[in-house]
Short mmCIF file of all heavy atoms in Angstrom, two decimals:
data_model
loop_
_atom_site.label_atom_id
_atom_site.label_comp_id
_atom_site.label_asym_id
_atom_site.label_seq_id
_atom_site.Cartn_x
_atom_site.Cartn_y
_atom_site.Cartn_z
N ASN E 1 -22.56 7.15 -2.83
CA ASN E 1 -23.08 5.82 -3.07
C ASN E 1 -23.01 5.52 -4.56
O ASN E 1 -23.48 6.29 -5.37
CB ASN E 1 -24.52 5.71 -2.60
CG ASN E 1 -24.66 5.83 -1.11
OD1 ASN E 1 -23.68 5.85 -0.38
ND2 ASN E 1 -25.88 5.90 -0.63
N ALA E 2 -22.45 4.37 -4.88
CA ALA E 2 -22.34 3.96 -6.27
C ALA E 2 -23.04 2.63 -6.47
O ALA E 2 -23.08 1.80 -5.57
CB ALA E 2 -20.87 3.84 -6.66
N ARG E 3 -23.59 2.46 -7.66
CA ARG E 3 -24.26 1.21 -7.99
C ARG E 3 -23.78 0.78 -9.37
O ARG E 3 -23.84 1.58 -10.32
CB ARG E 3 -25.77 1.41 -7.99
CG ARG E 3 -26.54 0.17 -8.34
CD ARG E 3 -28.02 0.46 -8.38
NE ARG E 3 -28.72 -0.71 -8.84
CZ ARG E 3 -29.70 -1.30 -8.17
NH1 ARG E 3 -30.09 -0.80 -7.02
NH2 ARG E 3 -30.28 -2.36 -8.66
N VAL E 4 -23.31 -0.47 -9.46
CA VAL E 4 -22.82 -1.00 -10.73
C VAL E 4 -23.57 -2.30 -11.01
O VAL E 4 -23.61 -3.18 -10.15
CB VAL E 4 -21.30 -1.28 -10.68
CG1 VAL E 4 -20.85 -1.94 -11.97
CG2 VAL E 4 -20.52 -0.02 -10.42
N GLU E 5 -24.15 -2.41 -12.19
CA GLU E 5 -24.75 -3.65 -12.64
C GLU E 5 -23.98 -4.09 -13.87
O GLU E 5 -24.07 -3.45 -14.90
CB GLU E 5 -26.24 -3.47 -12.93
CG GLU E 5 -27.04 -3.20 -11.67
CD GLU E 5 -28.54 -3.28 -11.87
OE1 GLU E 5 -28.98 -4.02 -12.77
OE2 GLU E 5 -29.24 -2.61 -11.11
N GLY E 6 -23.20 -5.14 -13.70
CA GLY E 6 -22.32 -5.62 -14.76
C GLY E 6 -21.00 -6.04 -14.16
O GLY E 6 -20.89 -6.22 -12.95
N SER E 7 -19.99 -6.16 -14.97
CA SER E 7 -18.69 -6.63 -14.51
C SER E 7 -17.73 -5.48 -14.27
O SER E 7 -17.78 -4.46 -14.94
CB SER E 7 -18.08 -7.56 -15.56
OG SER E 7 -18.90 -8.69 -15.74
N ILE E 8 -16.84 -5.70 -13.28
CA ILE E 8 -15.74 -4.77 -13.02
C ILE E 8 -14.46 -5.57 -13.14
O ILE E 8 -14.32 -6.63 -12.52
CB ILE E 8 -15.81 -4.16 -11.60
CG1 ILE E 8 -17.06 -3.32 -11.44
CG2 ILE E 8 -14.56 -3.36 -11.31
CD1 ILE E 8 -17.25 -2.77 -10.03
N GLU E 9 -13.51 -5.07 -13.95
CA GLU E 9 -12.22 -5.74 -14.09
C GLU E 9 -11.13 -4.69 -13.93
O GLU E 9 -11.08 -3.72 -14.68
CB GLU E 9 -12.09 -6.44 -15.43
CG GLU E 9 -10.81 -7.20 -15.57
CD GLU E 9 -10.76 -8.09 -16.81
OE1 GLU E 9 -11.79 -8.24 -17.49
OE2 GLU E 9 -9.67 -8.62 -17.09
N VAL E 10 -10.26 -4.90 -12.94
CA VAL E 10 -9.12 -4.01 -12.70
C VAL E 10 -7.89 -4.78 -13.13
O VAL E 10 -7.52 -5.78 -12.50
CB VAL E 10 -9.03 -3.60 -11.21
CG1 VAL E 10 -7.82 -2.70 -11.00
CG2 VAL E 10 -10.31 -2.93 -10.76
N ARG E 11 -7.24 -4.33 -14.18
CA ARG E 11 -6.10 -5.05 -14.74
C ARG E 11 -4.77 -4.57 -14.18
O ARG E 11 -3.78 -5.27 -14.26
CB ARG E 11 -6.09 -4.90 -16.26
CG ARG E 11 -7.29 -5.54 -16.90
CD ARG E 11 -7.25 -5.41 -18.38
NE ARG E 11 -8.45 -6.02 -18.95
CZ ARG E 11 -8.78 -5.94 -20.21
NH1 ARG E 11 -8.02 -5.27 -21.04
NH2 ARG E 11 -9.86 -6.53 -20.65
N GLU E 12 -4.72 -3.37 -13.66
CA GLU E 12 -3.49 -2.80 -13.13
C GLU E 12 -3.29 -3.18 -11.68
O GLU E 12 -4.22 -3.56 -11.00
CB GLU E 12 -3.54 -1.27 -13.26
CG GLU E 12 -3.71 -0.76 -14.66
CD GLU E 12 -2.54 -1.07 -15.56
OE1 GLU E 12 -1.39 -1.01 -15.08
OE2 GLU E 12 -2.76 -1.39 -16.74
N GLN E 13 -2.06 -3.04 -11.21
CA GLN E 13 -1.78 -3.25 -9.79
C GLN E 13 -2.54 -2.21 -8.99
O GLN E 13 -2.74 -1.09 -9.43
CB GLN E 13 -0.27 -3.10 -9.51
CG GLN E 13 0.57 -4.19 -10.13
CD GLN E 13 0.33 -5.54 -9.49
OE1 GLN E 13 0.01 -5.65 -8.33
NE2 GLN E 13 0.49 -6.59 -10.28
N GLY E 14 -2.93 -2.56 -7.79
CA GLY E 14 -3.67 -1.64 -6.95
C GLY E 14 -4.85 -2.35 -6.33
O GLY E 14 -5.13 -3.52 -6.61
N LYS E 15 -5.54 -1.64 -5.47
CA LYS E 15 -6.64 -2.21 -4.71
C LYS E 15 -7.95 -1.58 -5.14
O LYS E 15 -8.05 -0.37 -5.27
CB LYS E 15 -6.41 -1.94 -3.23
CG LYS E 15 -7.49 -2.52 -2.33
CD LYS E 15 -7.30 -2.10 -0.89
CE LYS E 15 -6.11 -2.78 -0.28
NZ LYS E 15 -6.00 -2.53 1.16
N LEU E 16 -8.96 -2.42 -5.33
CA LEU E 16 -10.32 -1.94 -5.59
C LEU E 16 -11.01 -1.83 -4.23
O LEU E 16 -11.06 -2.80 -3.48
CB LEU E 16 -11.07 -2.92 -6.49
CG LEU E 16 -12.55 -2.63 -6.72
CD1 LEU E 16 -12.72 -1.31 -7.46
CD2 LEU E 16 -13.21 -3.77 -7.47
N VAL E 17 -11.51 -0.64 -3.90
CA VAL E 17 -12.20 -0.42 -2.63
C VAL E 17 -13.66 -0.12 -2.91
O VAL E 17 -13.97 0.83 -3.63
CB VAL E 17 -11.55 0.75 -1.84
CG1 VAL E 17 -12.30 0.98 -0.54
CG2 VAL E 17 -10.09 0.47 -1.57
N LEU E 18 -14.54 -0.94 -2.34
CA LEU E 18 -15.98 -0.71 -2.45
C LEU E 18 -16.45 -0.15 -1.11
O LEU E 18 -16.51 -0.87 -0.12
CB LEU E 18 -16.71 -2.02 -2.77
CG LEU E 18 -16.29 -2.71 -4.07
CD1 LEU E 18 -16.98 -4.04 -4.22
CD2 LEU E 18 -16.56 -1.81 -5.25
N GLU E 19 -16.75 1.13 -1.07
CA GLU E 19 -17.10 1.84 0.16
C GLU E 19 -18.51 1.47 0.64
O GLU E 19 -19.30 0.90 -0.10
CB GLU E 19 -17.02 3.35 -0.07
CG GLU E 19 -15.63 3.85 -0.41
CD GLU E 19 -14.66 3.78 0.73
OE1 GLU E 19 -15.08 3.59 1.90
OE2 GLU E 19 -13.45 3.92 0.48
N ARG E 20 -18.82 1.85 1.86
CA ARG E 20 -20.16 1.66 2.42
C ARG E 20 -21.18 2.33 1.51
O ARG E 20 -20.95 3.42 1.01
CB ARG E 20 -20.27 2.28 3.80
CG ARG E 20 -19.55 1.51 4.85
CD ARG E 20 -19.68 2.22 6.18
NE ARG E 20 -18.75 1.59 7.11
CZ ARG E 20 -19.04 1.31 8.36
NH1 ARG E 20 -20.22 1.61 8.85
NH2 ARG E 20 -18.16 0.73 9.13
N GLY E 21 -22.31 1.68 1.32
CA GLY E 21 -23.35 2.23 0.45
C GLY E 21 -23.21 1.84 -1.00
O GLY E 21 -24.12 2.06 -1.79
N SER E 22 -22.06 1.26 -1.37
CA SER E 22 -21.88 0.84 -2.76
C SER E 22 -22.53 -0.53 -2.99
O SER E 22 -22.67 -1.33 -2.06
CB SER E 22 -20.39 0.77 -3.12
OG SER E 22 -19.74 -0.20 -2.34
N LEU E 23 -22.95 -0.78 -4.22
CA LEU E 23 -23.57 -2.05 -4.59
C LEU E 23 -23.06 -2.46 -5.96
O LEU E 23 -23.11 -1.68 -6.91
CB LEU E 23 -25.09 -1.92 -4.65
CG LEU E 23 -25.86 -3.09 -5.25
CD1 LEU E 23 -25.64 -4.37 -4.44
CD2 LEU E 23 -27.34 -2.78 -5.37
N VAL E 24 -22.53 -3.67 -6.05
CA VAL E 24 -22.10 -4.24 -7.32
C VAL E 24 -22.91 -5.51 -7.55
O VAL E 24 -22.91 -6.41 -6.71
CB VAL E 24 -20.60 -4.57 -7.33
CG1 VAL E 24 -20.22 -5.26 -8.63
CG2 VAL E 24 -19.77 -3.31 -7.13
N LYS E 25 -23.65 -5.55 -8.67
CA LYS E 25 -24.36 -6.76 -9.09
C LYS E 25 -23.67 -7.25 -10.34
O LYS E 25 -23.85 -6.69 -11.42
CB LYS E 25 -25.83 -6.44 -9.39
CG LYS E 25 -26.66 -6.17 -8.18
CD LYS E 25 -28.12 -6.04 -8.56
CE LYS E 25 -28.99 -5.89 -7.33
NZ LYS E 25 -30.42 -5.87 -7.66
N GLY E 26 -22.83 -8.25 -10.18
CA GLY E 26 -22.07 -8.78 -11.30
C GLY E 26 -20.75 -9.34 -10.83
O GLY E 26 -20.50 -9.48 -9.64
N THR E 27 -19.89 -9.63 -11.78
CA THR E 27 -18.59 -10.24 -11.50
C THR E 27 -17.53 -9.18 -11.27
O THR E 27 -17.49 -8.17 -11.96
CB THR E 27 -18.17 -11.13 -12.69
OG1 THR E 27 -19.18 -12.10 -12.90
CG2 THR E 27 -16.85 -11.82 -12.43
N ILE E 28 -16.67 -9.43 -10.27
CA ILE E 28 -15.54 -8.53 -9.99
C ILE E 28 -14.25 -9.31 -10.16
O ILE E 28 -14.10 -10.40 -9.62
CB ILE E 28 -15.60 -7.97 -8.56
CG1 ILE E 28 -16.87 -7.16 -8.35
CG2 ILE E 28 -14.36 -7.13 -8.27
CD1 ILE E 28 -17.06 -6.69 -6.92
N LYS E 29 -13.31 -8.74 -10.92
CA LYS E 29 -12.00 -9.34 -11.11
C LYS E 29 -10.96 -8.26 -10.83
O LYS E 29 -11.00 -7.19 -11.45
CB LYS E 29 -11.86 -9.86 -12.54
CG LYS E 29 -10.58 -10.61 -12.79
CD LYS E 29 -10.52 -11.13 -14.20
CE LYS E 29 -11.05 -12.54 -14.21
NZ LYS E 29 -10.80 -13.22 -15.50
N ALA E 30 -10.06 -8.52 -9.85
CA ALA E 30 -9.05 -7.53 -9.49
C ALA E 30 -7.88 -8.21 -8.78
O ALA E 30 -7.96 -9.40 -8.45
CB ALA E 30 -9.65 -6.46 -8.58
N ILE E 31 -6.83 -7.45 -8.53
CA ILE E 31 -5.66 -7.97 -7.81
C ILE E 31 -5.99 -8.08 -6.32
O ILE E 31 -5.86 -9.13 -5.72
CB ILE E 31 -4.43 -7.07 -8.03
CG1 ILE E 31 -4.14 -6.86 -9.52
CG2 ILE E 31 -3.22 -7.65 -7.30
CD1 ILE E 31 -3.83 -8.11 -10.30
N ASP E 32 -6.37 -6.96 -5.69
CA ASP E 32 -6.77 -6.90 -4.28
C ASP E 32 -8.09 -6.17 -4.17
O ASP E 32 -8.32 -5.19 -4.89
CB ASP E 32 -5.72 -6.16 -3.44
CG ASP E 32 -4.40 -6.91 -3.37
OD1 ASP E 32 -4.42 -8.11 -3.03
OD2 ASP E 32 -3.36 -6.29 -3.63
N ILE E 33 -8.96 -6.60 -3.25
CA ILE E 33 -10.28 -5.99 -3.08
C ILE E 33 -10.55 -5.78 -1.60
O ILE E 33 -10.35 -6.70 -0.79
CB ILE E 33 -11.40 -6.86 -3.68
CG1 ILE E 33 -11.10 -7.20 -5.15
CG2 ILE E 33 -12.75 -6.19 -3.55
CD1 ILE E 33 -12.02 -8.25 -5.73
N ASP E 34 -11.03 -4.60 -1.25
CA ASP E 34 -11.44 -4.26 0.11
C ASP E 34 -12.93 -3.92 0.05
O ASP E 34 -13.31 -2.96 -0.63
CB ASP E 34 -10.64 -3.06 0.61
CG ASP E 34 -10.43 -3.05 2.10
OD1 ASP E 34 -11.03 -3.90 2.80
OD2 ASP E 34 -9.66 -2.20 2.58
N ILE E 35 -13.78 -4.70 0.72
CA ILE E 35 -15.23 -4.54 0.58
C ILE E 35 -15.85 -4.03 1.87
O ILE E 35 -15.78 -4.70 2.90
CB ILE E 35 -15.89 -5.88 0.18
CG1 ILE E 35 -15.26 -6.41 -1.10
CG2 ILE E 35 -17.39 -5.70 0.01
CD1 ILE E 35 -15.67 -7.83 -1.44
N PHE E 36 -16.45 -2.85 1.80
CA PHE E 36 -17.23 -2.27 2.88
C PHE E 36 -18.72 -2.27 2.53
O PHE E 36 -19.56 -2.18 3.39
CB PHE E 36 -16.80 -0.82 3.16
CG PHE E 36 -15.40 -0.68 3.69
CD1 PHE E 36 -14.32 -0.58 2.84
CD2 PHE E 36 -15.18 -0.64 5.05
CE1 PHE E 36 -13.04 -0.44 3.33
CE2 PHE E 36 -13.90 -0.50 5.56
CZ PHE E 36 -12.82 -0.39 4.69
N GLY E 37 -19.03 -2.33 1.23
CA GLY E 37 -20.40 -2.26 0.72
C GLY E 37 -20.96 -3.63 0.41
O GLY E 37 -20.65 -4.61 1.09
N SER E 38 -21.76 -3.72 -0.66
CA SER E 38 -22.46 -4.96 -1.02
C SER E 38 -22.02 -5.48 -2.38
O SER E 38 -21.84 -4.70 -3.32
CB SER E 38 -23.97 -4.73 -1.05
OG SER E 38 -24.42 -4.35 0.22
N VAL E 39 -21.88 -6.80 -2.46
CA VAL E 39 -21.55 -7.46 -3.72
C VAL E 39 -22.53 -8.62 -3.90
O VAL E 39 -22.66 -9.46 -3.01
CB VAL E 39 -20.10 -8.00 -3.74
CG1 VAL E 39 -19.84 -8.77 -5.02
CG2 VAL E 39 -19.10 -6.88 -3.57
N GLU E 40 -23.19 -8.64 -5.04
CA GLU E 40 -24.06 -9.75 -5.41
C GLU E 40 -23.52 -10.31 -6.71
O GLU E 40 -23.84 -9.83 -7.79
CB GLU E 40 -25.51 -9.29 -5.57
CG GLU E 40 -26.12 -8.79 -4.28
CD GLU E 40 -27.52 -8.26 -4.46
OE1 GLU E 40 -28.13 -8.48 -5.52
OE2 GLU E 40 -28.02 -7.60 -3.53
N GLY E 41 -22.62 -11.26 -6.60
CA GLY E 41 -21.97 -11.85 -7.76
C GLY E 41 -20.66 -12.48 -7.36
O GLY E 41 -20.30 -12.51 -6.19
N ASP E 42 -19.94 -12.99 -8.34
CA ASP E 42 -18.70 -13.71 -8.07
C ASP E 42 -17.51 -12.76 -8.02
O ASP E 42 -17.49 -11.74 -8.71
CB ASP E 42 -18.48 -14.78 -9.15
CG ASP E 42 -19.54 -15.86 -9.12
OD1 ASP E 42 -20.18 -16.03 -8.06
OD2 ASP E 42 -19.72 -16.53 -10.14
N ILE E 43 -16.53 -13.14 -7.19
CA ILE E 43 -15.29 -12.37 -7.03
C ILE E 43 -14.13 -13.26 -7.42
O ILE E 43 -13.99 -14.37 -6.92
CB ILE E 43 -15.14 -11.90 -5.57
CG1 ILE E 43 -16.28 -10.95 -5.19
CG2 ILE E 43 -13.78 -11.24 -5.37
CD1 ILE E 43 -16.32 -10.62 -3.71
N ASP E 44 -13.28 -12.76 -8.32
CA ASP E 44 -12.07 -13.46 -8.76
C ASP E 44 -10.89 -12.53 -8.48
O ASP E 44 -10.75 -11.50 -9.12
CB ASP E 44 -12.17 -13.80 -10.24
CG ASP E 44 -11.01 -14.64 -10.74
OD1 ASP E 44 -10.08 -14.93 -9.95
OD2 ASP E 44 -11.02 -15.01 -11.92
N CYS E 45 -10.08 -12.89 -7.48
CA CYS E 45 -9.03 -12.00 -7.00
C CYS E 45 -7.73 -12.77 -6.90
O CYS E 45 -7.67 -13.83 -6.27
CB CYS E 45 -9.46 -11.45 -5.64
SG CYS E 45 -8.27 -10.36 -4.89
N GLU E 46 -6.67 -12.24 -7.49
CA GLU E 46 -5.36 -12.89 -7.43
C GLU E 46 -4.73 -12.78 -6.04
O GLU E 46 -4.03 -13.68 -5.60
CB GLU E 46 -4.41 -12.27 -8.44
CG GLU E 46 -4.80 -12.51 -9.87
CD GLU E 46 -3.86 -11.84 -10.84
OE1 GLU E 46 -2.69 -11.57 -10.46
OE2 GLU E 46 -4.27 -11.57 -11.98
N GLY E 47 -4.98 -11.69 -5.35
CA GLY E 47 -4.35 -11.42 -4.06
C GLY E 47 -5.30 -11.55 -2.90
O GLY E 47 -5.87 -12.62 -2.65
N LEU E 48 -5.50 -10.44 -2.19
CA LEU E 48 -6.26 -10.40 -0.94
C LEU E 48 -7.66 -9.85 -1.12
O LEU E 48 -7.84 -8.78 -1.71
CB LEU E 48 -5.51 -9.53 0.09
CG LEU E 48 -6.21 -9.26 1.41
CD1 LEU E 48 -6.38 -10.54 2.22
CD2 LEU E 48 -5.44 -8.23 2.21
N VAL E 49 -8.64 -10.58 -0.61
CA VAL E 49 -10.01 -10.07 -0.49
C VAL E 49 -10.25 -9.81 0.99
O VAL E 49 -10.15 -10.72 1.81
CB VAL E 49 -11.06 -11.08 -1.01
CG1 VAL E 49 -12.47 -10.57 -0.72
CG2 VAL E 49 -10.89 -11.32 -2.50
N SER E 50 -10.55 -8.54 1.35
CA SER E 50 -10.88 -8.16 2.72
C SER E 50 -12.36 -7.83 2.78
O SER E 50 -12.82 -6.93 2.08
CB SER E 50 -10.08 -6.94 3.17
OG SER E 50 -8.70 -7.22 3.17
N ILE E 51 -13.10 -8.57 3.61
CA ILE E 51 -14.53 -8.32 3.77
C ILE E 51 -14.73 -7.71 5.15
O ILE E 51 -14.45 -8.35 6.16
CB ILE E 51 -15.34 -9.63 3.62
CG1 ILE E 51 -15.11 -10.21 2.22
CG2 ILE E 51 -16.82 -9.36 3.87
CD1 ILE E 51 -15.77 -11.55 2.01
N ARG E 52 -15.18 -6.46 5.18
CA ARG E 52 -15.35 -5.73 6.44
C ARG E 52 -16.70 -6.03 7.07
O ARG E 52 -17.61 -6.56 6.42
CB ARG E 52 -15.21 -4.22 6.19
CG ARG E 52 -13.90 -3.83 5.51
CD ARG E 52 -12.71 -4.26 6.34
NE ARG E 52 -11.46 -3.98 5.65
CZ ARG E 52 -10.39 -3.50 6.25
NH1 ARG E 52 -10.39 -3.26 7.54
NH2 ARG E 52 -9.30 -3.28 5.55
N SER E 53 -16.87 -5.67 8.33
CA SER E 53 -18.09 -5.99 9.08
C SER E 53 -19.34 -5.33 8.48
O SER E 53 -20.44 -5.85 8.64
CB SER E 53 -17.94 -5.59 10.55
OG SER E 53 -17.74 -4.20 10.66
N SER E 54 -19.18 -4.23 7.77
CA SER E 54 -20.32 -3.55 7.15
C SER E 54 -20.71 -4.16 5.80
O SER E 54 -21.71 -3.78 5.22
CB SER E 54 -19.99 -2.07 6.96
OG SER E 54 -18.88 -1.93 6.09
N ALA E 55 -19.91 -5.10 5.31
CA ALA E 55 -20.10 -5.65 3.96
C ALA E 55 -21.15 -6.76 3.92
O ALA E 55 -21.41 -7.43 4.91
CB ALA E 55 -18.77 -6.18 3.44
N PHE E 56 -21.72 -6.92 2.72
CA PHE E 56 -22.61 -8.03 2.41
C PHE E 56 -22.12 -8.63 1.10
O PHE E 56 -22.00 -7.91 0.10
CB PHE E 56 -24.06 -7.55 2.25
CG PHE E 56 -24.98 -8.61 1.72
CD1 PHE E 56 -25.49 -9.58 2.55
CD2 PHE E 56 -25.30 -8.65 0.37
CE1 PHE E 56 -26.33 -10.57 2.06
CE2 PHE E 56 -26.14 -9.64 -0.13
CZ PHE E 56 -26.66 -10.60 0.72
N VAL E 57 -21.80 -9.92 1.12
CA VAL E 57 -21.30 -10.57 -0.09
C VAL E 57 -22.12 -11.84 -0.33
O VAL E 57 -22.25 -12.68 0.56
CB VAL E 57 -19.80 -10.93 0.03
CG1 VAL E 57 -19.33 -11.67 -1.21
CG2 VAL E 57 -18.97 -9.68 0.26
N GLN E 58 -22.67 -11.93 -1.55
CA GLN E 58 -23.43 -13.11 -1.94
C GLN E 58 -22.88 -13.58 -3.28
O GLN E 58 -23.00 -12.88 -4.29
CB GLN E 58 -24.91 -12.78 -2.08
CG GLN E 58 -25.76 -13.96 -2.43
CD GLN E 58 -27.24 -13.59 -2.51
OE1 GLN E 58 -27.60 -12.42 -2.44
NE2 GLN E 58 -28.08 -14.58 -2.67
N GLY E 59 -22.21 -14.73 -3.27
CA GLY E 59 -21.62 -15.26 -4.49
C GLY E 59 -20.39 -16.07 -4.16
O GLY E 59 -20.04 -16.29 -3.00
N ASN E 60 -19.71 -16.53 -5.19
CA ASN E 60 -18.49 -17.33 -5.03
C ASN E 60 -17.28 -16.42 -4.95
O ASN E 60 -17.22 -15.40 -5.64
CB ASN E 60 -18.33 -18.29 -6.21
CG ASN E 60 -19.46 -19.27 -6.30
OD1 ASN E 60 -19.81 -19.92 -5.32
ND2 ASN E 60 -20.07 -19.38 -7.48
N ILE E 61 -16.31 -16.81 -4.11
CA ILE E 61 -15.08 -16.04 -3.96
C ILE E 61 -13.90 -16.93 -4.29
O ILE E 61 -13.74 -17.99 -3.69
CB ILE E 61 -14.92 -15.50 -2.52
CG1 ILE E 61 -16.07 -14.58 -2.17
CG2 ILE E 61 -13.59 -14.76 -2.39
CD1 ILE E 61 -16.08 -14.13 -0.71
N LYS E 62 -13.08 -16.49 -5.23
CA LYS E 62 -11.83 -17.15 -5.57
C LYS E 62 -10.73 -16.14 -5.30
O LYS E 62 -10.72 -15.06 -5.90
CB LYS E 62 -11.84 -17.56 -7.04
CG LYS E 62 -10.57 -18.24 -7.49
CD LYS E 62 -10.65 -18.57 -8.98
CE LYS E 62 -9.31 -19.05 -9.47
NZ LYS E 62 -9.32 -19.22 -10.93
N SER E 63 -9.82 -16.47 -4.36
CA SER E 63 -8.79 -15.49 -4.02
C SER E 63 -7.53 -16.21 -3.53
O SER E 63 -7.57 -17.37 -3.11
CB SER E 63 -9.28 -14.53 -2.94
OG SER E 63 -9.46 -15.21 -1.71
N GLY E 64 -6.42 -15.46 -3.56
CA GLY E 64 -5.19 -15.96 -2.98
C GLY E 64 -5.26 -15.99 -1.47
O GLY E 64 -4.79 -16.93 -0.83
N ARG E 65 -5.88 -14.95 -0.89
CA ARG E 65 -6.07 -14.85 0.56
C ARG E 65 -7.42 -14.20 0.83
O ARG E 65 -7.88 -13.38 0.06
CB ARG E 65 -4.98 -14.00 1.21
CG ARG E 65 -3.60 -14.61 1.11
CD ARG E 65 -2.54 -13.76 1.79
NE ARG E 65 -2.47 -12.47 1.12
CZ ARG E 65 -2.13 -11.34 1.74
NH1 ARG E 65 -1.84 -11.34 3.01
NH2 ARG E 65 -2.08 -10.20 1.09
N LEU E 66 -8.03 -14.58 1.96
CA LEU E 66 -9.32 -14.03 2.35
C LEU E 66 -9.28 -13.66 3.82
O LEU E 66 -8.87 -14.47 4.65
CB LEU E 66 -10.42 -15.06 2.11
CG LEU E 66 -11.83 -14.70 2.59
CD1 LEU E 66 -12.38 -13.52 1.81
CD2 LEU E 66 -12.75 -15.90 2.47
N VAL E 67 -9.67 -12.42 4.14
CA VAL E 67 -9.74 -11.95 5.52
C VAL E 67 -11.15 -11.39 5.76
O VAL E 67 -11.64 -10.61 4.96
CB VAL E 67 -8.70 -10.85 5.81
CG1 VAL E 67 -8.85 -10.32 7.23
CG2 VAL E 67 -7.30 -11.36 5.59
N ILE E 68 -11.78 -11.85 6.84
CA ILE E 68 -13.10 -11.34 7.20
C ILE E 68 -12.99 -10.67 8.55
O ILE E 68 -12.57 -11.27 9.52
CB ILE E 68 -14.14 -12.49 7.25
CG1 ILE E 68 -14.22 -13.17 5.88
CG2 ILE E 68 -15.50 -11.96 7.68
CD1 ILE E 68 -15.07 -14.41 5.86
N TYR E 69 -13.35 -9.37 8.58
CA TYR E 69 -13.26 -8.58 9.81
C TYR E 69 -14.61 -8.51 10.47
O TYR E 69 -15.61 -8.39 9.86
CB TYR E 69 -12.80 -7.15 9.50
CG TYR E 69 -11.39 -7.07 8.98
CD1 TYR E 69 -11.13 -7.05 7.62
CD2 TYR E 69 -10.32 -7.03 9.86
CE1 TYR E 69 -9.83 -6.96 7.14
CE2 TYR E 69 -9.02 -6.94 9.38
CZ TYR E 69 -8.78 -6.91 8.01
OH TYR E 69 -7.51 -6.83 7.54
#
């Protein structure tokens, strides 16, 4: 289980995966994001944001594509 309070920015190609039990309070900026855990903040994604059934997201989402499972 990981907890981050602040911003996460992934500048390289690749996918940011937030596993079950993880919590991010702040802004996330990445190319692709796969969310199984919790996000309380805004998401800025150039590519695909995948929100899984175990995820909790509270905030604004800006993405190229959005998939909710």
Side-chain angles (χ1 to χ4, degrees):
N1 293 352
R3 179 183 175 124
V4 175
E5 292 192 28
S7 298
I8 296 176
E9 183 171 351
V10 179
R11 296 181 181 172
E12 301 294 322
Q13 293 292 330
K15 181 186 289 187
L16 174 64
V17 179
L18 301 175
E19 297 291 346
R20 287 178 191 223
S22 63
L23 170 62
V24 175
K25 288 187 175 184
T27 303
I28 299 174
K29 186 178 266 190
I31 306 299
D32 294 309
I33 306 169
D34 210 352
I35 304 170
F36 294 88
S38 298
V39 176
E40 295 177 13
D42 295 338
I43 297 171
D44 185 357
C45 179
E46 294 178 23
L48 174 65
V49 173
S50 297
I51 300 175
R52 305 301 176 139
S53 61
S54 62
F56 171 80
V57 177
Q58 182 178 8
N60 298 310
I61 299 173
K62 179 182 172 187
S63 68
R65 295 181 298 150
L66 174 66
V67 177
I68 300 173
Y69 294 94

